[in-house]
Amino acid sequence: MAESTSLFSSGSNNITPDSSESSFVSSNAASQANIGLTKTDCWCLLGLFGAVLLIYIQLWFPGLVLIKRDAFHFYLPVKQHVVERLSTGELPQWFPYEGLGRPLLANVVAGVFHPFTLLYLVLPVYEAYRLSTFICILFAAGGAFVLARRLHISPLSACLAALAFSCSGYVASLTDNIAYLYSICLLPLFVFFIERTVSEMATRWGGVSALIWASVFLNGDIQTGYYYGFVAVVWAVVRAGEQWRAALAHIAGIAFLAALVAAVQLGPAWSAYSGSIRADATGFQQQSTRWSTHPLRLFTLAVSPIGESLEEDRMAREVFTGKERGRGTLGFWAESLYLSIAILGLALIGALRRTDLRVLGILAGATLVLALGKYGGVYGLFEYMIPFWSAFRYPEKFMGFVSFAIAILAGAGADALAGKQTAGVGWGAGALTCLGCGLLLRTDGSVYWIVTILQVQDDLGQQIARTASTGLFFSCAVMASLAVLFVWASRRPAWRTWAFIGMILVITLDLVRANLPAVYTSSSIAWTFTPGLAGAIASDSKAKGLGQFRILSVTNSVNQVSPEVVRTLHPHEVAAALRRHGLVTEHNAAFHLETVQSYMPGKALLDEQIGRQANTQTLARFNVAYFIGRTSRFDDQKFAKSIVASIRDYGLTLVRNPVPTTPRVYLSKNPVHVGSAANVLLFLQGEEFLNGSVDGIEGIDQLPQRLTKGHASVLDYQPESVRVEVESSEPAVLILVDAFEPGWRARIEGGAEIPIYRANGLVRATLVPSGRHRVIFEYETPFLRLGAFLSLIGIAGAGFITWKNHNWLRRCP
């Protein structure tokens, strides 16, 4: 097979390792990397995928649902809504179940245009989500393997790199968020095609690279997709050598093509971003650094566990966040970062011995500093220096890039140690060091030291010392096993392959031991059961369909759950069941109930300000008819006659709003002009607004007089279309208690379009003439048509580039 067309051939700019860095598999492994996919590669890939299949069995075994965090609380309800709309031939552009209605396509997390959506059309939503998560893990393993082979790493060492990455703590932790998991799992494959582009200086890989890059945007992770560009630039500059200018030109072309392909998502996303609090770099900086990786967490790269999962919130609050006030959500962004001392040691050796792979060392070091966020001193500077950087609030996302670079370097390090007579001595010394440190942590003095340095309570200090000691004992066992295997391999060269397989097995088992607990699944019943409070609302309201009323559910704490439930379920199952019963965090959408709360990103600042000042009267004015929360919240006498139902085991109570609820659509009795946002906030606290006497309208200088007679009613309420019947004896202001957002238009049936104005800070209003009319509100996502047109051009361009060079498809193994 010709070198230029082989999937695993080396480029002209690659450096072949010295003969002393031969593989355990065979002495000519480096040369095999130059001639394509060998039989050994095929067997290694087969074994690799088999191992991933076994390790992540709970991700493909039927009848299970991912239960942790956004996987259960957010994505499943939203995906269910998307499937319901698509199955009826409708494009889900508006999400009526959150806030006062939110744009859906403009909130990229829905991932409507990603190919994974096809899975949801043929499988139950919880099965499709779990299967797509498993596919991501396969991408991580397969991509890391082919990239490692491309970089002249032997087949078995490439397997080690692939397993180190796909079983890393970061990847395992991100199984709770399909958008973030997909983007980091696709990174090795993306870099593989960038490497081919840079080494060959040809456009043949541009179409594939652009499609991979675009798919990250389409799946909803704009932040990591943005970082892909920096990875590509660094890779091109370092790997291309003197041809770096030509390499950057290729990267620019790929970036432009990727943006075109993803324009159908990026265009609407821009409309949401430009009107959100993220567009204010100064105001959003605190949020953007909230999830910085604390320097103390870097110890968990090498030792796990430190602390236990049951103490995750406490560890995060008291040790890894500096006891920050107002931090918001507790816990860790990525539950585990563990890579093991063995992988870190191999990576260090790989970085020192394989100077041609210095780009991975640069990538690991730079992204580690950025992952530290406010602790690293660079991330904050980038917020002012680099466009859009301030819109991203998760510095810890860079730990995925760190894990990727370290895993590939570990594969190179394994090759470098092959056949070394003294390798076993180093691992043995490391084992003794871990053993000594572990025993030291078992002493009372170490607990005192931890409590004093970290300024934590004695019980937490004891737990940190005990668990860290346990982690060090595990590391001792791993390194002692590696020492034995290396000694065996050096004395019996004929058994080196089996010794290497043993090393892979030991390291993988250690990674699985520490990281697989971050993958939480439960019986699918957790998703399929119908909460009793959903039926209670339907029975009490006697209303069907959208546009009737909204609810407010506040169930943030699991403290109200009965001891019987706590003993029966895992903590993540308790949290999931509580949110499901409480119809919170999008679970209301699964039962077609609208909530006034917001969870999707991209809210406007005014939304948050009004939300913080809301009370029963304010909420009534925004069509909130029911509350769900802890029973103790409703001890006030005003709720005495409003209680509808309760769930004792979860401490939840459903009550009607004791204040009369403003209908979804009405004619304002007395519209008044309101100017700035500050005036709006002051206006909404006034008694006249709270009792429904007046409405504040922005953008109209000449308002109609006080209404004497008239009414309005909803004829048909659909997510993207609302038909209202209006009858008035004089011109009036029609108010629809739905979110004021770009993309909504109004017209009188049979007449011309009429302008929409903002009312009461958040909702929509329009002027209607006297008489009887039908007013139609219609929504189309801004930039959707333009984005779709550009995406078609981008897909055609990527297809043309790929087809023009289609010979490589036929010749690649």
Side-chain angles (χ1 to χ4, degrees):
M1 185 176 299
E3 178 178 304
S4 61
T5 59
S6 168
L7 183 60
F8 295 101
S9 65
S10 60
S12 58
N13 294 313
N14 288 334
I15 301 175
T16 303
D18 297 334
S19 59
S20 61
E21 298 170 348
S22 58
S23 163
F24 277 131
V25 178
S26 65
S27 60
N28 64 344
S31 62
Q32 287 180 356
N34 290 327
I35 61 175
L37 189 63
T38 67
K39 187 177 294 185
T40 300
D41 294 326
C42 294
W43 283 112
C44 285
L45 269 175
L46 184 62
L48 173 63
F49 288 137
V52 172
L53 195 70
L54 182 62
I55 292 168
Y56 287 100
I57 186 173
Q58 56 189 321
L59 292 181
W60 59 265
F61 197 80
L64 299 175
V65 59
L66 282 160
I67 203 75
K68 190 177 69 173
R69 296 182 181 173
D70 283 348
F72 186 82
H73 306 326
F74 176 76
Y75 282 104
L76 291 186
V78 171
K79 297 294 187 182
Q80 183 68 51
H81 170 72
V82 170
V83 168
E84 290 175 355
R85 299 295 308 283
L86 291 177
S87 61
T88 60
E90 300 173 311
L91 185 63
Q93 300 187 59
W94 186 256
F95 190 69
Y97 301 111
E98 177 184 294
L100 303 175
R102 301 290 301 282
L104 186 63
L105 294 184
N107 266 298
V108 295
V109 288
V112 176
F113 297 112
H114 192 273
F116 276 165
T117 300
L118 297 175
L119 289 175
Y120 295 91
L121 296 176
V122 298
L123 293 172
V125 63
Y126 64 91
E127 298 276 13
Y129 185 91
R130 200 185 64 252
L131 182 58
S132 60
T133 301
F134 180 67
I135 292 172
C136 290
I137 303 294
L138 291 179
F139 277 140
F145 180 86
V146 297
L147 175 62
R149 293 294 289 127
R150 172 68 186 172
L151 297 176
H152 300 291
I153 296 173
S154 66
L156 279 184
S157 295
C159 281
L160 175 63
L163 286 169
F165 180 59
S166 60
C167 297
S168 64
Y170 186 89
V171 170
S173 298
L174 266 290
T175 53
D176 65 4
N177 192 305
I178 188 64
Y180 303 154
L181 176 70
Y182 176 83
S183 56
I184 199 62
C185 286
L186 217 63
L187 177 62
L189 202 58
F190 173 73
V191 173
F192 169 78
F193 285 107
I194 292 297
E195 165 65 18
R196 297 231 55 169
T197 301
V198 169
S199 62
E200 299 177 13
M201 292 299 171
T203 60
R204 68 182 67 188
W205 310 105
V208 181
S209 302
L211 290 174
I212 292 174
W213 198 348
S215 71
V216 172
F217 294 124
L218 295 177
N219 199 47
D221 192 358
I222 301 293
Q223 180 176 353
T224 308
Y226 187 74
Y227 296 157
Y228 266 36
F230 293 93
V231 173
V233 168
V234 171
W235 198 275
V237 171
V238 177
R239 294 287 289 174
E242 295 180 355
Q243 295 182 293
W244 64 271
R245 291 182 179 83
L248 286 180
H250 283 287
I251 298 302
I254 291 172
F256 177 74
L257 190 58
L260 276 183
V261 173
V264 68
Q265 184 64 82
L266 295 178
W270 170 256
S271 69
Y273 163 77
S274 59
S276 73
I277 58 176
R278 297 192 179 197
D280 179 11
T282 304
F284 197 67
Q285 184 178 12
Q286 183 179 1
Q287 290 195 42
S288 68
T289 57
R290 178 178 297 170
W291 292 102
S292 300
T293 304
H294 196 282
L296 291 176
R297 283 210 76 196
L298 300 184
F299 287 104
T300 65
L301 286 168
V303 179
S304 179
I306 298 181
E308 295 178 349
S309 59
L310 294 180
E311 293 286 336
E312 178 187 344
D313 288 354
R314 189 180 176 193
M315 286 285 294
R317 181 178 63 252
E318 298 189 25
V319 180
F320 296 122
T321 65
K323 303 179 181 63
E324 299 169 13
R325 294 182 178 180
R327 183 176 183 271
T329 306
L330 301 178
F332 300 123
W333 191 83
E335 188 172 342
S336 174
L337 299 177
Y338 185 64
L339 284 169
S340 80
I341 293 179
I343 291 298
L344 294 175
L346 289 172
L348 179 60
I349 294 169
L352 294 175
R353 296 297 301 275
R354 289 289 303 274
T355 56
D356 59 308
L357 299 184
R358 64 185 180 278
V359 62
L360 289 168
I362 294 171
L363 186 61
T367 52
L368 181 60
V369 172
L370 290 171
L372 293 174
K374 61 186 177 183
Y375 304 110
V378 177
Y379 196 93
L381 293 176
F382 280 17
E383 290 183 329
Y384 297 101
M385 297 169 56
I386 300 178
F388 308 118
W389 193 276
S390 61
F392 306 131
R393 56 178 177 160
Y394 298 130
E396 193 159 294
K397 270 190 176 183
F398 277 112
M399 291 306 299
F401 294 85
V402 175
S403 299
F404 155 73
I406 289 177
I408 303 300
L409 283 173
D415 274 350
L417 284 184
K420 300 297 182 183
Q421 297 292 329
T422 59
V425 176
W427 292 115
L432 291 175
T433 302
C434 288
L435 178 62
C437 292
L439 292 173
L440 183 63
L441 285 174
R442 293 283 178 169
T443 64
D444 293 338
S446 65
V447 175
Y448 172 79
W449 178 79
I450 290 173
V451 170
T452 302
I453 297 298
L454 299 183
Q455 297 182 350
V456 297
Q457 296 180 359
D458 289 347
D459 64 323
L460 185 57
Q462 292 173 358
Q463 179 168 275
I464 293 172
R466 177 175 55 82
T467 54
S469 175
T470 301
L472 285 167
F473 290 154
F474 277 116
S475 297
C476 172
V478 170
M479 287 193 285
S481 300
L482 296 184
V484 171
L485 289 169
F486 271 93
V487 170
W488 179 38
S490 64
R491 293 185 177 182
R492 294 180 177 270
W495 293 88
R496 285 182 180 175
T497 296
W498 291 108
F500 197 88
I501 292 174
M503 184 182 76
I504 294 175
L505 180 62
V506 169
I507 293 176
T508 302
L509 287 176
D510 182 54
L511 291 172
V512 170
R513 181 270 311 172
N515 297 328
L516 203 61
V519 183
Y520 293 95
T521 56
S522 182
S523 169
S524 59
I525 296 174
W527 166 253
T528 57
F529 84 87
T530 301
L533 295 186
I537 292 174
S539 176
D540 185 74
S541 66
K542 305 294 190 301
K544 294 182 179 180
L546 298 174
Q548 305 290 332
F549 58 85
R550 293 187 173 94
I551 67 173
L552 171 65
S553 182
V554 183
T555 58
N556 295 328
S557 174
V558 299
N559 295 332
Q560 67 265 33
V561 178
S562 69
E564 292 81 5
V565 173
V566 172
R567 284 194 299 268
T568 304
L569 302 178
H570 186 277
H572 281 288
E573 292 178 316
V574 173
L578 178 63
R579 289 176 179 269
R580 184 86 169 162
H581 279 293
L583 300 172
V584 71
T585 323
E586 317 297 3
H587 282 276
N588 56 288
F591 304 99
H592 305 121
L593 293 169
E594 299 163 87
T595 181
V596 73
Q597 290 170 297
S598 290
Y599 189 75
M600 289 183 181
K603 290 189 298 182
L605 180 60
L606 191 60
D607 294 5
E608 292 196 341
Q609 290 174 323
I610 292 176
R612 286 196 294 267
Q613 300 177 11
N615 52 41
T616 54
Q617 288 180 292
T618 304
L619 293 167
R621 289 291 275 125
F622 290 109
N623 195 226
V624 177
Y626 291 93
F627 301 131
I628 300 174
R630 294 195 303 270
T631 302
S632 59
R633 287 180 178 269
F634 308 117
D635 289 340
D636 194 291
Q637 187 61 32
K638 66 182 179 181
F639 295 109
K641 297 181 180 180
S642 301
I643 296 176
V644 177
S646 296
I647 302 178
R648 183 185 63 83
D649 283 341
Y650 290 89
L652 295 175
T653 295
L654 169 69
V655 301
R656 286 186 296 273
N657 193 339
V659 179
T661 304
T662 299
R664 185 63 60 90
V665 62
Y666 62 96
L667 294 177
S668 178
K669 297 177 182 178
N670 184 20
V672 297
H673 177 74
V674 178
S676 65
N679 290 336
V680 169
L681 291 174
L682 186 64
F683 171 80
L684 296 181
Q685 299 172 27
E687 185 61 31
E688 287 187 318
F689 167 75
L690 294 177
N691 63 28
S693 300
V694 298
D695 293 283
I697 314 298
E698 300 174 51
I700 307 178
D701 294 328
Q702 297 295 326
L703 288 166
Q705 299 298 316
R706 184 184 296 268
L707 182 67
T708 57
K709 184 179 180 181
H711 75 274
S713 60
V714 175
L715 294 177
D716 181 58
Y717 194 101
Q718 301 297 326
E720 290 89 21
S721 175
V722 181
R723 296 176 66 243
V724 178
E725 186 172 69
V726 179
E727 186 171 0
S728 175
S729 59
E730 58 238 316
V733 174
L734 171 68
I735 296 181
L736 176 62
V737 189
D738 283 346
F740 178 88
E741 287 278 353
W744 280 101
R745 294 182 177 181
R747 60 184 174 88
I748 296 178
E749 192 171 48
E753 182 176 323
I754 53 178
I756 296 178
Y757 305 97
R758 191 195 305 269
N760 299 332
L762 297 178
V763 301
R764 304 197 289 270
T766 189
L767 292 175
V768 293
S770 60
R772 188 171 183 175
H773 308 282
R774 289 186 176 180
V775 179
I776 302 174
F777 293 87
E778 294 175 312
Y779 179 75
E780 182 177 291
T781 306
F783 304 118
L784 177 62
R785 293 177 184 267
L786 176 62
F789 175 72
L790 293 176
S791 287
L792 289 175
I793 296 176
I795 292 172
F800 174 77
I801 292 173
T802 303
W803 179 253
K804 180 181 178 182
N805 301 280
H806 68 281
N807 287 337
W808 70 269
L809 289 172
R810 293 187 296 185
R811 292 197 294 264
C812 278

